């Protein structure tokens, strides 16, 4: 399949990487030539049918695409309203949607002659997916991961090491995704001449938000065909969790021009009023973090606050600039789900559908249950089940099920 | 003529090189920070760079990261940095450059920052993560050239980009001597000579070289290739190692004096 990644003129981002006032390129001078080179390479290969042929083969034979769209029959009956369909990114190779982007970027790195990959990771899914692509391409790989995330996502650390990657613990700050990204940027500055930085979300300096989006829209393109085949029409709403926002953008983007509601679900952590949350769009203000302008959780003086979520992949005080723009324009709305609601939804999906979702994805499931309940039968929701939850078993064990729910 | 220009003109006429000293404002706390900056000024540094502490300093190595964290823990915000600059300005004629990441400035507001920085006696600003492509949003409303905008060039900067950067810079050019973050290993003299040579084709502004310069002999070697050298992490290391020493200001002053004396003279 030949398609152009580069959006038509007049669409976002513009040539400066701007989604309205958001996005841009706020990086140290050392990195500027690298991001300019990356953008040129991305645009060149995006227009190259051979690149797409290679990528499509990798997505099919290596990543296991297309992933199915499942009608969640018992979950739908439990919610008692709109039909819930699950886009099964948990069934992609490595167990999450992150692989779509990492094979794309690794392929690009190879075309650019870069033999070393570095990446940041939160839950470890992006780290595993990067290490996987590096192994497949015979590239060196270093993954930066916060010490707190290493503690709570041990299985993924083991997987990355098995795949031949070096996992570099990051102890600064809160030892989570933000700090891992700081350290990856520092490592990139040092090794920029031979190293490709594989950013895992639709964040970072231009062209990353554009590039990661384009590699992830395969989710939405497939979902669109699949729901048309299954239900004979487009859905009423799409629901996806948002940390940095890559799985959500990937699902949303092919539906932007359609009359389909877009709902992003952020992590409300211990509650929006507790101050311990990761609801960047819900409670943040405009600022500049990690190379782009978007919403961030920060003090009035512009110091970045630490986020909190039980889910390491959502535990980030920033968000991709395109989400800021979709919110600003009213095209998408953003809700938030607490740790407790996400844990409950995790258990519910296990029991009703036989699927262990990633805790990140469980946030989307939790909101979908509410959304389905207040919509009439006959309406259709597509939920992005962005990853599988095996990595989260230790967290589930540490948060035993509340007694009153056991009898439900 | 502003203080930065005046300083480099005076140094040049005497055949001297500039010692640009960087410290994080408010480290280890605002009170002691004032004494430390004062000691550097008395020791004869030619330009003082005051680092505005930021929670996520992605261009800095561990030494300045920790300095930033100490300053923030002591409650240092931009208002405190301005207060420090104002107090120093009353006592010393040395040019003051505020060295910051963009987000604290963005939060403060471009116009308010310009007004308050000038009122505090600052002479220039350097924003690490604000390349020329993005800097209009900060500077477009600034009424005149009273606050110099110091630009960075690096070993990865191609010649045509150096030309564009030089064209929009004022005060001096800060050339980053090597890839990587602040602190760490010493300077690459051959690289510096080549890069500064290229840079001089595009600008008559003074060129100061920094990143990884810690010892007098390094300062001497780099000083032969540029108009000035920037030393930061080496001072911060001293502050970190001797934070509780009541004679820390004198110690820091001796370190600065040794660096200044090592710089070549005509």
């Amino acid at each position: 399949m030949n398609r152009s990644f580069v959006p038509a003129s007049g669409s976002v981002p513009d040539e400066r990487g701007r989604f309205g006032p958001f996005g841009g390129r706020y990086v140290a001078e050392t990195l500027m030539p690298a991001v300019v080179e990356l953008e040129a390479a991305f645009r060149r290969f995006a227009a190259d049918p051979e690149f797409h042929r290679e990528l499509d083969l990798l997505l099919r034979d290596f990543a296991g695409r297309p992933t199915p769209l499942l009608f969640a029959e018992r979950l739908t009956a439990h919610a008692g309203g709109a039909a819930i369909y699950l886009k099964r990114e948990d069934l992609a190779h490595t167990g999450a949607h992150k692989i779509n982007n990492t094979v794309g970027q690794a392929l690009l790195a190879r075309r650019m002659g870069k033999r070393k990959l570095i990446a940041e990771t939160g839950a470890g899914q992006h780290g595993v997916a990067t290490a996987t692509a590096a192994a497949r391409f015979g590239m060196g790989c270093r993954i930066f991961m916060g010490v707190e995330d290493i503690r709570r996502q041990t299985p993924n650390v083991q997987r990355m090491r098995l795949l031949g990657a070096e996992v570099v613990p990051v102890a600064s700050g809160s030892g989570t995704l933000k700090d891992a990204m700081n350290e990856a940027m520092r490592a990139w500055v040092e090794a920029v001449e031979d190293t490709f930085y594989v950013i895992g979300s639709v964040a970072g300096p231009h062209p990353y938000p554009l590039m990661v989006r384009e590699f992830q829209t395969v989710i939405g393109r497939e979902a669109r065909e699949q729901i048309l085949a299954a239900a004979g029409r487009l859905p009423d709403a799409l629901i996806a969790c948002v940390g940095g926002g890559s799985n959500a953008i990937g699902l949303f983007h092919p539906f932007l021009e359609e009359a389909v509601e877009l709902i992003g679900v952020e992590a409300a952590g211990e509650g929006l009023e507790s101050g311990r949350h990761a609801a960047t769009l819900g409670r943040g203000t405009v600022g500049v973090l990690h190379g782009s302008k978007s919403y961030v959780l920060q003090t009035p003086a512009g110091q970045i606050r630490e986020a909190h979520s039980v889910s390491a992949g959502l535990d980030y005080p920033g968000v991709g600039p395109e989400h800021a723009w979709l919110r600003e324009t009213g095209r998408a709305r953003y809700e938030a789900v607490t740790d407790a609601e996400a844990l409950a939804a995790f258990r519910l999906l296990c029991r009703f559908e036989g699927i262990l979702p990633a805790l990140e994805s469980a946030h989307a499931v939790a909101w979908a249950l509410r959304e389905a309940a207040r919509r009439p039968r006959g309406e259709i929701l597509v939920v992005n089940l962005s990853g599988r939850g095996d990595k989260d078993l230790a967290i589930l064990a540490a948060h035993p099920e509340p007694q009153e729910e056991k009898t439900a | 003529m502003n203080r930065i220009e005046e300083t480099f003109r005076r140094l040049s006429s005497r055949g001297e090189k500039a010692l640009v000293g960087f410290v994080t404002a408010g480290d280890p706390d605002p009170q002691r920070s004032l004494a430390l900056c004062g000691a550097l000024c008395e020791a004869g540094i030619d330009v003082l760079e005051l680092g505005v502490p930021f929670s996520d300093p992605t261009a800095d190595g561990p030494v300045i990261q920790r300095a930033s964290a100490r300053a923030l823990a002591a409650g240092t915000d931009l208002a405190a940095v301005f207060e420090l600059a104002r107090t120093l300005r009353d006592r010393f004629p040395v040019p003051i450059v505020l060295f910051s990441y963009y987000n604290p400035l963005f939060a403060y507001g471009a116009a308010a920052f310009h007004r308050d920085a000038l009122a505090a006696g600052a002479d220039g600003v350097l924003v690490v993560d604000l390349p020329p492509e993005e800097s209009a949003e900060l500077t477009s409303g600034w009424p005149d050239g009273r606050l110099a905008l110091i630009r960075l060039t690096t070993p990865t900067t191609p010649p045509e980009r150096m030309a564009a950067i030089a064209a929009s810079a004022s005060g001096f050019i800060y050339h980053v001597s090597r890839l990587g973050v602040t602190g760490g290993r010493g300077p690459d003299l051959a690289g510096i000579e080549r890069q500064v040579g290229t840079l001089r084709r595009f600008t008559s502004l003074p060129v100061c070289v920094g990143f990884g310069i810690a010892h007098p002999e390094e300062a001497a070697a780099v000083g032969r290739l540029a108009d000035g050298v920037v030393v930061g992490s080496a001072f911060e290391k001293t502050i970190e190692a001797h934070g509780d020493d009541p004679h820390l200001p004198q110690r820091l002053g001796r370190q600065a004096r040794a660096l200044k004396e090592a710089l070549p003279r005509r």
Side-chain angles (χ1 to χ4, degrees):
Chain A
M1 184 175 15
N2 184 15
R3 50 179 184 270
S4 172
F5 276 154
V6 180
S9 67
S11 64
V12 293
D14 66 14
E15 68 284 355
R16 290 175 60 225
R18 290 282 176 177
F19 303 86
F22 306 111
R25 212 170 237 171
Y26 299 85
V27 295
E29 190 55 41
T30 310
L31 293 179
M32 276 305 287
V35 293
V36 169
E37 179 198 7
L38 175 61
E39 187 194 356
F42 173 66
R43 291 191 186 277
R44 185 164 70 249
F45 293 118
D48 177 358
E50 180 54 29
F51 183 86
H52 285 278
R53 198 191 60 79
E54 211 176 332
L55 179 59
D56 288 346
L57 269 181
L58 278 165
L59 289 177
R60 190 190 72 188
D61 299 341
F62 186 59
R65 302 207 71 89
T67 61
L69 182 74
L70 174 76
F71 173 48
E73 203 175 340
R74 297 190 62 221
L75 196 69
T76 297
H78 174 77
I84 300 172
Y85 285 80
L86 302 173
K87 179 61 175 161
R88 300 292 309 276
E89 291 301 296
D90 60 314
L91 293 179
H93 182 40
T94 71
H97 72 291
K98 294 292 186 187
I99 192 79
N100 306 329
N101 171 47
T102 61
V103 295
Q105 289 197 44
L107 197 58
L108 190 59
R110 190 165 73 180
R111 294 278 182 117
M112 292 171 74
K114 311 260 180 188
R115 304 293 308 161
K116 294 177 189 164
L117 304 182
I118 57 169
E120 81 293 340
T121 198
Q125 293 300 105
H126 175 59
V128 166
T130 303
T132 297
R136 167 82 193 166
F137 290 154
M139 292 173 160
C141 186
R142 263 190 308 159
I143 304 293
F144 296 85
M145 189 169 186
V147 290
E148 167 63 12
D149 290 340
I150 286 178
R151 188 189 61 73
R152 57 181 166 172
Q153 306 275 235
T154 313
N156 276 342
V157 177
Q158 290 165 339
R159 288 165 79 195
M160 286 184 269
R161 289 185 175 140
L162 279 171
L163 291 159
E166 180 194 349
V167 179
V168 184
V170 178
S172 57
S174 51
T176 59
L177 180 52
K178 165 179 86 94
D179 311 294
M181 197 150 175
N182 287 343
E183 209 54 38
M185 291 183 83
R186 291 182 189 118
W188 196 29
V189 173
E190 233 158 273
V192 65
E193 284 164 329
D194 64 351
T195 298
F196 189 106
Y197 181 15
V198 183
I199 292 184
S201 197
V202 284
H206 179 58
Y208 283 100
L210 165 68
M211 181 167 71
V212 176
R213 176 186 89 194
E214 295 304 315
F215 286 136
Q216 289 293 2
T217 52
V218 64
I219 303 171
R221 286 198 309 270
E222 286 177 7
R224 190 188 163 102
E225 279 178 29
Q226 289 164 327
I227 195 68
L228 286 174
R233 68 175 184 89
L234 292 176
D236 296 283
L238 307 176
I239 301 174
C241 65
V242 176
S246 69
N247 89 81
I249 284 286
L251 177 64
F252 292 174
H253 213 263
F255 295 87
L256 275 188
E257 308 298 320
E258 308 290 352
V260 175
E261 279 182 63
L262 310 177
I263 306 166
V265 184
E266 296 190 303
E270 294 172 8
L272 293 178
E273 306 312 321
S274 72
R276 285 176 52 77
H277 59 77
T280 309
L281 288 164
R283 290 297 166 97
T285 50
V286 178
V288 173
L289 176 66
H290 295 149
S292 60
K293 187 182 284 178
S294 184
Y295 279 77
V296 289
L297 296 176
Q298 60 182 334
T299 69
Q303 305 295 339
I304 309 303
R305 286 184 196 274
E306 290 177 6
H308 167 81
S309 169
V310 71
S311 136
L314 302 183
D315 197 349
Y316 181 61
V319 67
E322 189 162 12
H323 284 294
W325 179 236
L326 291 175
R327 175 186 183 271
E328 196 88 346
T329 56
R331 180 62 191 92
R333 71 183 154 96
Y334 295 85
E335 307 289 351
V337 155
T338 63
D339 289 350
E341 291 171 284
L343 288 161
F346 185 112
R347 293 191 159 96
L348 218 54
L349 197 66
C350 291
R351 306 245 171 100
F352 281 113
E353 298 293 343
I355 298 171
L356 274 76
L359 262 176
E360 291 76 16
S361 322
H363 285 72
V365 173
W367 189 263
L369 286 164
R370 280 204 221 175
E371 199 72 34
R374 65 186 185 212
R375 288 171 184 260
R377 284 168 218 274
E379 288 208 4
I380 298 172
L381 307 177
V382 171
V383 180
N384 201 0
L385 203 66
S386 56
R388 60 187 290 160
D390 306 57
K391 68 185 178 64
D392 294 318
L393 295 183
I395 299 172
L396 265 287
H399 293 82
E401 194 165 2
Q403 283 305 313
E404 60 276 13
E405 270 182 36
K406 270 202 174 148
T407 53
Chain B
M1 190 163 34
N2 76 19
R3 272 181 288 260
I4 297 175
E5 227 174 293
E6 225 166 78
T7 296
F8 280 99
R9 196 163 291 192
R10 188 188 69 241
L11 291 170
S12 163
S13 71
R14 293 188 199 158
E16 284 183 38
K17 305 295 177 141
L19 175 61
V20 181
F22 169 97
V23 282
T24 300
D27 173 35
D29 56 54
Q31 200 65 39
R32 282 185 285 176
S33 184
L34 175 61
L36 297 175
C37 293
L40 287 175
C41 293
E42 277 165 8
I45 63 164
D46 300 293
V47 178
L48 176 65
E49 275 186 1
L50 277 182
V52 176
F54 181 49
S55 53
D56 295 80
T58 52
D60 283 299
V63 173
I64 292 179
Q65 287 173 44
R66 289 193 295 266
S68 218
R70 286 192 298 269
L72 287 174
T76 310
D77 55 10
L78 258 178
V81 177
F82 290 143
E83 182 56 40
L84 175 63
R86 196 169 14 250
T87 310
L88 290 165
R89 176 52 65 235
D90 290 343
R91 300 184 193 170
F92 303 101
V94 61
I96 296 174
V97 172
L98 302 175
F99 187 106
S100 187
Y101 289 83
Y102 183 45
N103 200 51
L105 271 51
F106 177 72
Y108 200 84
F113 173 79
H114 184 261
R115 179 194 65 217
D116 294 349
L118 282 177
D123 304 286
V125 60
L126 189 161
V127 191
V128 191
D129 54 351
L130 196 70
E133 286 85 345
E134 305 290 358
S135 65
E137 69 176 71
L138 178 68
T139 60
S140 62
W142 291 2
D144 51 40
R146 284 200 294 158
L147 197 61
L149 186 65
I150 315 296
R151 296 279 196 203
L152 292 163
T153 57
T154 78
T156 58
T157 312
E160 59 280 15
R161 192 171 168 83
M162 273 189 181
I165 290 170
S168 67
S170 50
F172 61 91
I173 306 261
Y174 184 147
H175 181 72
V176 172
S177 67
R178 54 169 179 71
L179 302 183
V181 293
T182 51
R185 55 186 199 277
D188 157 25
L189 294 174
I192 292 170
E193 182 164 25
R194 197 172 54 247
Q195 290 146 16
V196 172
T198 309
L199 197 46
R200 296 238 194 252
R201 284 165 36 207
F202 307 117
T203 185
S204 55
L205 285 174
V207 176
C208 296
V209 174
F211 275 45
I213 300 167
H215 305 293
E217 50 279 22
E218 291 166 343
V222 175
R224 275 189 281 279
L225 308 172
D227 303 303
V229 300
V230 188
V231 176
S233 294
F235 290 140
E236 289 293 358
K237 259 185 200 160
T238 305
I239 295 171
E240 181 163 58
H242 304 281
D244 296 325
D245 179 353
H247 301 296
L248 175 59
Q250 292 84 333
R251 192 187 280 268
L252 202 67
R254 281 197 300 277
Q255 189 180 4
R257 213 167 285 119
L259 287 159
K260 177 67 184 171
E261 280 164 10
L263 288 175
R265 295 158 196 267
R266 193 168 48 216

